[in-house]
Amino acid sequence: MPYQPKPLPFSKPLTGISDKTIQIHHDKLYTGYVNKRNEIEEKLAKTDRTAANATYSEYGELKREESFAANGICLHEYYFNVLGGDGAQSKAPDLIKAIETEFGSFDKWLEDFKAAGMVARGWVVLAYDFNEGHLHNYLCDIHNHGGIWGAIPVIVLDMYEHAYFIDYGSDRKTYIEDYLKNLNWAAAENLYKNIKK
Ligand SMILES: [Fe+2]
């Protein structure tokens, strides 16, 4: 069964982040990862496993790019999932309480999340890490480098330049502030509650 791109979970215009950016991001880049995942899986089905080699082999390269495409898909879906909101934290009481408990205060979490956004070349992920049983801000610069097995994303911020450069140039700080204004805390709360079940 081929992978299918999921539609955007919101239709309203965002604060600061333009429709053009969202359209390119979703319809071209994200959908491109879905198409490439399908292409990779088709090729893997026919690839000679007996020629597998760690330095170079068709199978090896396809398996490396399979994880790149797979994470390119799911990280974008997590990112779009928490956009389209109004930034109101009151819609995520359980998640906010957990953030306050585990980071000391909401502001301490936010300071770390924003700092991670300023240095990330790829993604910032507030994840629930089942290995440790707590929330943690992780950073991954490339889709398939830096992810933690057993950590489930709750709030994902895309810091690739394609996510903000059309609207903000190199002004990452304002993009992060606007991202927070658009944050759908109710969607993050739903995700967190499902994880905790
Ligand atoms: Fe992206």
Side-chain angles (χ1 to χ4, degrees), residues 1 10 15-16 19 29 41 43-44 49 54-56 70 74 78 81 107 114 117 126 140 147 165 178 181 187-188 191:
M1 177 80 179
F10 58 90
T15 300
D19 291 349
L29 289 158
E41 297 305 338
K43 288 190 174 161
L44 270 171
R49 267 76 173 158
T55 304
Y56 170 75
C74 71
Y78 280 112
N81 178 57
D107 287 347
K114 285 181 179 176
L126 170 68
C140 88
F165 220 83
D178 281 351
K181 285 178 197 159
L191 205 47

Side-chain angles (χ1 to χ4, degrees), residues 94-106 135 192:
D94 288 10
L95 176 57
I96 296 291
K97 197 175 165 200
I99 286 173
E100 287 169 349
T101 303
E102 295 179 29
F103 290 84
S105 71
F106 181 81
L135 289 163
Y192 178 69

Side-chain angles (χ1 to χ4, degrees), residues 25 29-30 33 72 76 79-80 122-123 143 158-160 162-163:
H25 206 165
L29 289 158
Y30 159 67
Y33 288 119
H76 277 104
Y79 171 69
F80 293 131
W123 300 95
H143 305 332
D158 190 340
M159 288 306 304
Y160 279 93
H162 63 240

Side-chain angles (χ1 to χ4, degrees), residues 8 14 16-29 79-80 160-168 175:
L8 273 174
L14 300 181
I17 304 168
S18 65
D19 291 349
K20 183 180 177 185
T21 291
I22 291 295
Q23 190 227 325
I24 294 170
H25 206 165
H26 179 274
D27 298 354
K28 302 281 182 196
L29 289 158
Y79 171 69
F80 293 131
Y160 279 93
E161 287 175 349
H162 63 240
Y164 63 87
F165 220 83
I166 290 174
D167 303 319
Y168 301 91
Y175 163 65

